Amino acid sequence: MLKDFYSVESLEKKDEKNYLVWIKLNKTHDIFKGHFPDNPVTPGVCMMQIVKELSEGFTEKKLFMSQVSNVKFMALINPETHADLRLEIQLVTDLEAAEAKVKTTAIFEETVALKMNTTFKIL
């Protein structure tokens, strides 16, 4: 869905439920031309979509975002100055309930930019 918006630079599965993912934002993507001209900021909804896409890759299932709680956008992510992001993702899948619970922290340099808890329905 976010064609060419970001690339996964590295992905490490730390244990059964914890992942460390390094992504690079494409600072020339058209989204940044409108959000905002001469002062690009990564839209929060795009960060949420990145988490969904990565979670689908981890579970190898299509997911539907059914609940988002405790979302904290703590710093603006300017792709011109902070294109490299570290995502710490904890994913717990409950196949019986057909859901995946995902806890995410997105960081650039040493700055926490996003904290979010998400529940996905497994389709």
Side-chain angles (χ1 to χ4, degrees):
M1 186 169 198
L2 292 176
K3 186 172 172 32
D4 301 323
F5 184 72
Y6 70 99
S7 58
V8 174
E9 300 295 298
S10 72
L11 186 150
E12 177 184 350
K13 184 173 183 177
K14 303 201 58 86
D15 58 36
E16 274 305 301
K17 60 183 179 178
N18 291 292
Y19 299 84
L20 180 62
V21 184
W22 284 92
I23 66 168
K24 180 179 278 300
L25 298 174
N26 175 2
K27 66 182 179 181
T28 64
H29 195 277
D30 285 344
I31 285 175
F32 296 117
K33 292 176 185 170
H35 201 267
F36 297 95
D38 300 322
N39 188 26
V41 175
T42 305
V45 69
C46 291
M47 290 302 300
M48 295 169 81
Q49 181 66 25
I50 290 169
V51 171
K52 177 183 181 277
E53 290 176 9
L54 292 171
S55 299
E56 286 179 331
F58 301 149
T59 61
E60 299 180 345
K61 308 258 188 231
K62 292 298 287 174
L63 301 175
F64 172 79
M65 190 177 291
S66 62
Q67 182 180 16
V68 181
S69 62
N70 202 24
V71 179
K72 295 180 182 174
F73 295 102
M74 303 170 80
L76 296 176
I77 303 170
N78 180 331
E80 291 181 353
T81 57
H82 299 104
D84 297 310
L85 301 174
R86 181 176 84 234
L87 282 79
E88 298 172 356
I89 298 174
Q90 181 183 78
L91 183 142
V92 177
T93 304
D94 182 345
L95 294 177
E96 191 171 300
E99 68 180 21
K101 294 187 182 259
V102 179
K103 190 177 196 175
T104 306
T105 303
I107 302 161
F108 61 82
E109 293 175 357
E110 296 305 314
T111 301
V112 175
L114 167 69
K115 286 188 172 191
M116 177 176 70
N117 296 335
T118 312
T119 301
F120 294 101
K121 286 292 179 191
I122 299 172
L123 303 177

